[in-house]
Amino acid sequence: MIQGTSSSVGKSVLTAALCRIFARRGLRVAPFKAQNMALNSFVTSGGEEMGRAQAVQAAAAGREPEVEMNPVLLKPEGHSRSQVILMGRPWKTLSAGDYYACRETLWASVAASFEKLAGENDLLLVEGAGSPAEINLKKSEIVNMRVARTFGCPVLLAGDIDRGGVFASLTGTLALLDDEEKTLVKGFLINKFRGDVKLLEPGLEMLSGLTGGRPVLGVIPWLKNLAVAQEDSVYLEENRSSGIPGAVDIVVIKFPRISNYDDFDPLALEEGVSLRFVDRPEDLGKPHAVILPGSKTTLEDLAWLRRSGFDGLLAALVLSGASLAGVCGGYQMLGRRISDPLGVEGASGGGDGLGFLPGETLFEPSKETTRVTGATVPGEGFPGSRSVPVEGYEIHMGRTVLPRGARPLLSLGGGRTDGAVSAGGRIWGTYLHGIFDSGEFREEWLRFLGRREPGKDLPFRVVREQAFDRLADEVEAALDMKALERIIGL
């Protein structure tokens, strides 16, 4: 089990690396995280919603994601409440106090999921959440030491040296555990190191001396451009831009409740593309394109967009020739109106959309969670005169209706369509998360925005497979694999 001294120390990425390392050895490996708090989510082939990080870890293990890999998913809707996704389906919206009162009900699903996966696999690689030393939450947590104690998981404690204070973080975390929990911690991982490891060795020896001889099993180097999805919002705070400013400048509006921001990882990895996340109007500049991403609270984030003054700037950019795109909640905002009479996403109400596209959205209690394949509808400008295949997944509560004669973006088969596109194609929206994973779609849009050089029209899953191998190679080289195998019992 990989636990951490805090959030964003790299637990998810390290778990993905171990999934690929042991899968390459021929073991049947599965990731597991009992409870995940994230707005980045994924839809399984059965239509269940789960944390995006565990879906990525499953892919690293060469597996199809299963909802048991993340039985409890919390999707924050505000500072004091979250939607609880239990076994892939919306269960309840709860305050923090009410959530902890329900922990035994949730634990039953956690335990059943763990036991099912353990019976079907050679190795489970378990990820904790935050820190096991949150002493105010220890009696009610269901994701860190309770999992380790119940199922006898040996624990590796990971710390982020790039932030500073890693030795204090590791020793302090261990000190706050009780004796039974301390016995489960078998060693440490130091992540995100830059420099010469030899200069760190005296500190590693002192750390071992201070913690009862526990070894540091590896010092993992700082790795850039991993193409491995991150689940933590801290990552987005620290990585607001990527790429060298080049021929195509793309801005993603960073809503207060932005969801599935990893939709745009394929754009960030393209050469000649600058991808920036912006939450202040003064940082918008004059990009070639602006994307409105998904949102957990669409009406609230739309109100924030207007209060911030982004709406007028977006209109000016469109008039100057820039492109405007929306994904999921962002697509809903681009339409004429959004109505939530039942208060599905919060307080009941509704309001005018930005009016760039003709659709009107009505929120309903049922949640759409499904995998989708389809193709672009040919038309003037973007997406072009030929049909381009796409695939992705839908996660949304609202239903958007277009008026007769409006131009859809995608044909999904069976007479269904998705999204909308303006005349000429400069403004478009879709419900499909993962649409930029399609190399041909991505290339068509970037060419429409003015990029002249050919880009990486590989499907993003191919790029990510290469990234998994690179990640596994780097981490395996940094780890004492023999010691790790002894801890695991291989």
Side-chain angles (χ1 to χ4, degrees):
M1 183 175 190
I2 304 296
Q3 297 189 26
T5 57
S6 69
S7 295
S8 199
V9 300
K11 298 185 294 291
S12 296
V13 172
L14 291 174
T15 303
L18 293 174
C19 282
R20 176 52 58 102
I21 288 169
F22 288 107
R24 292 194 304 195
R25 297 186 177 192
L27 296 177
R28 183 170 173 80
V29 180
F32 179 79
K33 186 167 184 174
Q35 170 200 291
N36 203 338
M37 177 175 280
L39 290 178
N40 282 358
S41 58
F42 181 81
V43 174
T44 69
S45 59
E48 300 105 348
E49 189 176 1
M50 62 182 286
R52 178 73 176 163
Q54 280 61 62
V56 170
Q57 291 161 0
R63 301 285 303 280
E64 182 70 20
E66 303 172 37
V67 71
E68 286 83 5
M69 297 172 180
N70 175 215
V72 180
L73 173 63
L74 307 181
K75 304 191 76 173
E77 294 183 346
H79 294 295
S80 61
R81 71 175 200 169
S82 294
Q83 182 188 49
V84 182
I85 308 296
L86 180 60
M87 298 305 295
R89 303 296 180 188
W91 184 55
K92 294 180 179 181
T93 295
L94 299 173
S95 67
D98 291 337
Y99 172 76
Y100 290 117
C102 295
R103 64 185 181 276
E104 294 309 315
T105 298
L106 301 173
W107 176 254
S109 293
V110 168
S113 296
F114 187 100
E115 290 166 356
K116 176 179 181 293
L117 291 174
E120 297 171 348
N121 293 277
D122 302 315
L123 175 63
L124 291 192
L125 292 164
V126 185
E127 180 187 344
S131 165
E134 303 290 353
I135 55 178
N136 58 314
L137 301 177
K138 284 185 69 171
K139 290 184 178 180
S140 56
E141 66 91 7
I142 59 170
V143 64
N144 285 314
M145 281 300 175
R146 185 172 184 182
V147 173
R149 289 195 311 268
T150 302
F151 301 108
C153 302
V155 174
L156 297 183
L157 188 60
D160 176 359
I161 194 170
D162 190 62
R163 293 183 173 188
V166 71
F167 296 118
S169 297
L170 291 168
T171 55
T173 299
L174 189 67
L176 288 172
L177 302 180
D178 63 34
D179 290 341
E180 180 186 1
E181 293 166 343
K182 287 177 183 176
T183 62
L184 292 168
V185 179
K186 305 302 181 183
F188 305 110
L189 299 174
I190 293 180
N191 198 22
K192 305 181 187 179
F193 179 70
R194 314 182 199 224
D196 186 347
V197 176
K198 291 183 179 179
L199 298 177
L200 199 61
E201 288 176 353
L204 304 182
E205 293 176 7
M206 286 188 282
L207 175 64
S208 181
L210 289 167
T211 58
R214 290 175 175 83
V216 175
L217 272 73
V219 178
I220 294 92
W222 178 275
L223 301 173
K224 293 189 68 176
N225 297 327
L226 283 174
V228 177
Q230 310 276 339
E231 74 168 3
D232 204 295
S233 60
V234 177
Y235 172 82
L236 191 56
E237 289 293 330
E238 297 175 349
N239 296 269
R240 287 173 171 260
S241 63
S242 63
I244 300 172
V248 178
D249 182 24
I250 300 174
V251 164
V252 179
I253 302 299
K254 184 179 175 291
F255 297 133
R257 292 294 168 191
I258 185 174
S259 65
N260 284 56
Y261 56 78
D262 59 321
D263 279 339
F264 315 112
D265 286 356
L267 295 171
L269 293 173
E270 286 281 357
E271 295 179 5
V273 173
S274 170
L275 184 74
R276 299 183 287 125
F277 286 84
V278 167
D279 57 8
R280 302 188 308 170
E282 56 265 36
D283 295 333
L284 188 60
K286 296 182 178 180
H288 295 85
V290 176
I291 301 173
L292 304 186
S295 166
K296 188 64 184 72
T297 52
T298 305
L299 282 168
E300 288 184 20
D301 279 350
L302 177 58
W304 169 87
L305 191 82
R306 287 196 165 104
R307 287 195 308 271
S308 302
F310 275 110
D311 54 343
L313 293 176
L314 294 178
L317 282 171
V318 169
L319 288 173
S320 71
S323 183
L324 183 59
V327 177
C328 199
Y331 166 45
Q332 295 170 341
M333 293 182 196
L334 290 177
R336 292 175 179 167
R337 186 162 183 82
I338 302 173
S339 301
D340 188 4
L342 301 178
V344 171
E345 278 202 336
S348 60
D352 292 336
L354 296 173
F356 291 106
L357 292 173
E360 296 192 3
T361 298
L362 174 66
F363 279 97
E364 300 170 328
S366 60
K367 189 172 191 177
E368 184 72 34
T369 55
T370 184
R371 297 264 194 100
V372 175
T373 59
T376 58
V377 176
E380 177 187 357
F382 180 76
S385 59
R386 67 187 183 96
S387 182
V388 173
V390 298
E391 59 182 276
Y393 52 97
E394 296 182 45
I395 308 173
H396 57 92
M397 304 291 285
R399 180 171 55 90
T400 300
V401 177
L402 300 181
R404 185 182 300 274
R407 177 182 166 193
L409 179 70
L410 305 174
S411 171
L412 304 180
R416 294 200 309 127
T417 62
D418 171 76
V421 59
S422 67
R426 283 198 295 116
I427 305 171
W428 58 269
T430 178
Y431 273 118
L432 259 66
H433 294 288
I435 194 167
F436 291 112
D437 288 13
S438 166
E440 289 185 77
F441 181 88
R442 193 169 67 245
E443 179 65 17
E444 284 289 334
W445 192 48
L446 292 176
R447 188 181 298 116
F448 178 76
L449 295 180
R451 187 171 73 172
R452 297 178 181 177
E453 302 82 4
K456 300 174 182 176
D457 61 356
L458 290 173
F460 192 57
R461 62 178 175 271
V462 176
V463 176
R464 184 155 283 173
E465 277 296 306
Q466 296 169 350
F468 287 143
D469 283 329
R470 176 195 160 211
L471 173 64
D473 290 343
E474 294 273 9
V475 173
E476 188 168 14
L479 291 180
D480 183 341
M481 291 302 299
K482 291 185 178 179
L484 179 57
E485 289 163 4
R486 287 196 297 272
I487 289 170
I488 294 173
L490 296 177

